[in-house]
């Protein structure tokens, strides 16, 4: 279906087989070159580039970069020696017989030429300018390729899920505000002034209701919303591939998720080896200092707590002492080690202790002189190091110290060029605790409960069978049937077995300090639904922006979203958000909501 | 992938071939019957029903309707004479060896049993109760079948679009408020208090930007939002299959749309004959009194304006007089004709003039005595009637009178049983005017312009080539390149060629009275994008709730939406919309917006 009103072919369809045919093409002028009375135009359409030869430059006299042209002409083989090996259509050109300007173009704020991009010569402006003129930024073939990849992997994912008997079901996005952790975007109701909808942080409760409704395998590419202070890797709206199954346990969801990931990666030519490795949460922390370990490289953290248990060094008289090896790090200069200190301080650490094992057998570094001779003696062996390596240390509360070492581990790998974007190292992180301390300083979520405990995942996560009797009497050691899927050090998704029994749900809410009244008000509908026969169910979700970025080999999800928002939640292209009219405010119902609030106070 | 933690098979997989095997099933108790110490349970899972035979009732003593059970037992052939022909698994039963209650169920507010539904015996409560317990309502097999159909046709539509080289691209839903006709839902911005996002009424401008970005074939199942006073057939949020193509004209979009519709209907076993018939907008009004004619039956309106041009009857001395035939209508009683008057009055008419052609050759009816002998003489022939028929008349302004007759035409067909939900009569309505009078009483939209003219479709619709020079000097006769796809009297979708040239867009905005300043503020980003080289483009959208309802053979889109909202925009299940907390209001930024409004007034 390539032939349309404006063209007979797309550029990439043409080759030597078409020589002699008359074709009509349409596209943008990627580049113009004039040469001895003749003009050469690189015409760019969605399929690629093709050279247009204009024998008489006068025919193209007004034509400039990014004009939209319709060109009719004869396909010709390029003269000997002028074949362009780098271009799919490089063996041919089209000798223009007629050129129609479909649309003119003002001078662009930045270059989008394919040719220049291929040559690495597109000088991109800052992000704000790219987003302000996103329609130009997207014309670059690399951006088009990412949009195409994202479309292709959605197709592959759906195909995979259909093959496993999943149904795609849309759930509403104007819902009731429910406590899922982050802040809701809220939408005032005009018909019921003073009342509000919320945009969903995920379809969590709705997909659980679908299970209670008799759907056994549900999926949806769901738009989700979180009104957080946006970081580089977050968007106020994002897409997740959301899945839920009934009559299943953790093993069933993991098997499903593995087939899905296998099929999605296979669609892009990558073979994911199954089964995917699993790592316990506590091992992930101990070995990699992260609950989303990057397994493209090894270099595990070393636990030296026992090793330093009698140390004279005050800093190491801590509940945890650990280290990470920097292969060949002994050759770093003093200035480079100072820069590492800075790097660590920017990440909230006080500094970063280190030693170097010099080729001459001596030990140097910031803490070398603080530890005992015996400690120096066995240190190389204890840390698995060799002459010429360096070792970074952290000591203190285990989770904090491990987290710091985990960041160091990944930074070392980065500097060593080990973060290959075309290599994909997956793992499941399993055996998470059910609860964590609510005063966790890493918590940027709204605390949904009123005790010292908050859910590691969410309040609907099933305690693991071994914790079923004791999770409320001993929350600290309660484990959950939750699992995360991690790729290359990024959390790509996760899920859990859900609570389907009213009695267990009530006990979990009690640990969180959520009263019956509050529970009823916020998600009483789910608790009520469980009273009418709920099947056991479990599910997971994959962050689709993140998965697309990983497969595209880009760091930023900006590059796989057609129209992303800046860190302040703005769209520099459309100017959203923006003031609205007085009439819109009057009609929205917010005045009534504000007035009701004032009245409540009096 | 049927075997999971809780079951080895789904019910519908089992048949006589499995006799003797031990299986484990899980599902709801659809119905329980006790018979001489034995218990028979109909177990219902997503695939269907199966009979469980419990030889010792004691094993199932606590089991009631809608309990969720796990049952292990041996598949057995049913005894001679007990085979149930109506059930896929009717030749077998499972002799229970172990029954585990996975979840109990309270007494249901209404019956959801498959068996009862199949026997037409499910007594459904009112809509509010169905929505309040939607998870129970959805357990009914007919609802499950509709969710499945909707999923299946999304799959078929995507497959069709992929085969035509379309890419699926997601566009943002937190956008800037733009003037598309209806009222926007607005979302306050916390990070920029006083500013707002709007939820999109459609991705119209964004998909046009994608064309300017170099995407040539875009589609998306887009969630759209309109804050209107909801009618039976409207939801505050709805889904449309949104498509846009560049370098195409109307014929290309129609050809694409026809293949799409063909493929979607084919997925459900229906053959749609292509090409689909086309009807001019003015013919649709003249022949069917509607811009969405129901072509499952013929019975065109008859234009009698000329026939009655010298009439003595004051009511018919009008700019338009038309009629519609009611085959066999002469046999209606006086009371029945009175009821027709009431019917017409409820639809805003003053009444409904009629005559009957009696079998004895005489003419009776409400206006028989008002018209001349000559008019009575030829009336049967002029209206294409026969003895025994009746004819309804309407006179006045053509559009109003035709619209009334169009409703009469469909109501007659309904009473004659001609509205077969399994018959699908499609047509394209084409050649729409570009503008209509802004004071149109049928207009429930916010008037986007400030003149007597408003867009029939939207301000981005391309004038047809014949109107390109004159559309702004003679708006009344300006035609547009717009097209609607209609099925069974319902507008299923539509689209248009878009304006891709800044100069034409400016002239259209001028007719609508939208100033440069206002245009820049509201969609200046699109006008600006056109300055950097925009390809000609066109597209369409299909209302997916509507399409799903048509194919499911149901009248209400409620039946094809998992969790719909009531006419007042409420969800009786979750209680949305609802008040939010003081903290949420304080954080939302609405106070600042209201305060800014007050400050502006002072």
């Amino acid at each position: 279906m390539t032939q349309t009103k404006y063209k007979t072919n797309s550029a990439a369809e043409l080759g030597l087989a078409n020589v002699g045919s008359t074709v009509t093409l349409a596209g943008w002028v990627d580049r113009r070159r004039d040469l001895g009375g003749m003009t050469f135009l690189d015409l760019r359409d969605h399929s690629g580039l093709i050279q247009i030869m204009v024998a008489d430059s006068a025919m193209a006299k007004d034509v400039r970069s990014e004009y939209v042209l319709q060109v009719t002409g004869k396909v010709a083989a390029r003269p000997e020696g002028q074949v362009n090996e780098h271009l799919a259509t490089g063996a041919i050109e089209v000798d223009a017989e007629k050129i129609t300007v479909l649309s003119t173009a003002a001078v662009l704020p930045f270059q989008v030429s394919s040719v220049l991009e291929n040559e690495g010569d597109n000088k991109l402006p800052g992000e704000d300018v790219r987003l302000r003129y996103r329609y130009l930024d997207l014309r670059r073939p690399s951006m088009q390729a990412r949009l195409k990849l994202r479309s292709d992997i959605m197709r592959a994912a759906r195909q995979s899920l259909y093959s496993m008997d999943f149904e795609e079901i849309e759930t509403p996005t104007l819902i009731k505000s429910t406590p899922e952790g982050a802040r809701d975007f809220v939408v005032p109701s005009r018909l019921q002034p003073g009342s509000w909808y919320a945009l969903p942080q995920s379809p969590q409760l709705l997909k659980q209701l679908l299970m209670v409704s008799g759907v056994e395998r549900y999926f949806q590419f769901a738009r989700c919303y979180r009104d957080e202070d946006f970081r580089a890797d977050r968007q106020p709206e994002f897409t997740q591939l959301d899945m839920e199954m009934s009559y299943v346990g953790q093993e069933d969801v993991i098997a499903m998720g593995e087939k899905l990931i296998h099929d999605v990666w296979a669609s892009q030519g990558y073979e994911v080896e199954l089964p995917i490795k699993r790592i316990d949460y506590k091992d992930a922390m101990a070995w990699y200092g992260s609950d989303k370990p990057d397994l493209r490289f090894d270099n595990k953290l070393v636990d030296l707590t026992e090793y330093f248990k009698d140390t004279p060094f005050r800093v190491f008289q801590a509940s945890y002492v650990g280290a990470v090896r920097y292969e060949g790090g002994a050759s770093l200069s003093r200035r480079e080690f100072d820069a590492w200190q800075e790097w660590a301080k920017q990440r909230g650490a006080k500094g970063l202790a280190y030693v170097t094992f010099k080729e001459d057998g001596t030990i140097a570094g910031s803490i070398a002189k603080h530890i005992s001779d015996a400690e120096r003696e066995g240190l190389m062996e204890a840390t698995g190091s060799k002459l010429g390596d360096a070792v970074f240390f952290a000591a203190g509360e285990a989770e904090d110290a491990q987290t710091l070492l985990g960041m160091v581990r990944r930074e070392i790998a980065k500097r060593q060029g080990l973060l290959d974007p075309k290599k994909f190292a997956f793992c499941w992180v399993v055996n998470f605790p059910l609860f964590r301390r609510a005063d966790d300083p890493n918590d940027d979520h709204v605390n949904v409960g009123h005790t010292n405990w908050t859910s590691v995942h969410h309040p609907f996560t099933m305690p693991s069978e071994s914790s079923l009797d004791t999770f409320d009497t001993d929350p600290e050691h309660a484990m959950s049937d939750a699992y995360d899927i991690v790729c290359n050090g990024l959390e790509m998704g996760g899920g859990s077995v859900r609570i389907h029994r009213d009695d267990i749900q009530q006990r979990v809410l009690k640990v969180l300090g959520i009263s019956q009244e509050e529970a009823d008000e916020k998600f009483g509908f789910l608790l009520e639904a469980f009273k009418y026969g709920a099947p056991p169910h479990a599910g997971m979700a994959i962050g689709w922006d993140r998965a697309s970025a990983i497969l595209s080999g880009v760091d930023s999800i900006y590059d796989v979203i057609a129209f992303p928002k800046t860190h302040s939640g703005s769209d520099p292209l459309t100017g959203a958000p923006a003031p609205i009219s007085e009439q819109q405010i009057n009609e929205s119902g917010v005045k009534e909501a504000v007035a009701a609030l004032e009245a409540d106070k009096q």
Side-chain angles (χ1 to χ4, degrees), chain A residues 393-404:
Chain A
F393 298 89
E397 198 272 311
E399 195 175 305
D400 293 346
Q402 287 168 343
T403 301
L404 175 62

Side-chain angles (χ1 to χ4, degrees), chain A residues 239-287:
Chain A
T239 300
Q240 74 184 31
L241 171 50
D242 195 49
M243 295 158 281
E244 195 80 9
M245 306 160 82
S246 47
Y247 303 116
V248 298
Q250 175 167 321
E251 289 305 319
D252 299 306
V253 179
I254 284 183
M256 179 279 292
E258 292 193 348
K259 175 166 165 51
L260 172 70
I261 287 167
H262 177 273
D263 291 352
V264 167
W265 257 253
S267 77
Q268 299 302 305
Y270 299 105
E271 178 73 20
V272 176
E273 245 181 75
L274 302 186
I276 287 170
K277 166 187 292 208
R278 300 187 196 182
I279 302 177
D280 275 9
Y281 169 77
K282 70 173 183 343
D283 291 336
M285 290 305 296
W287 298 341

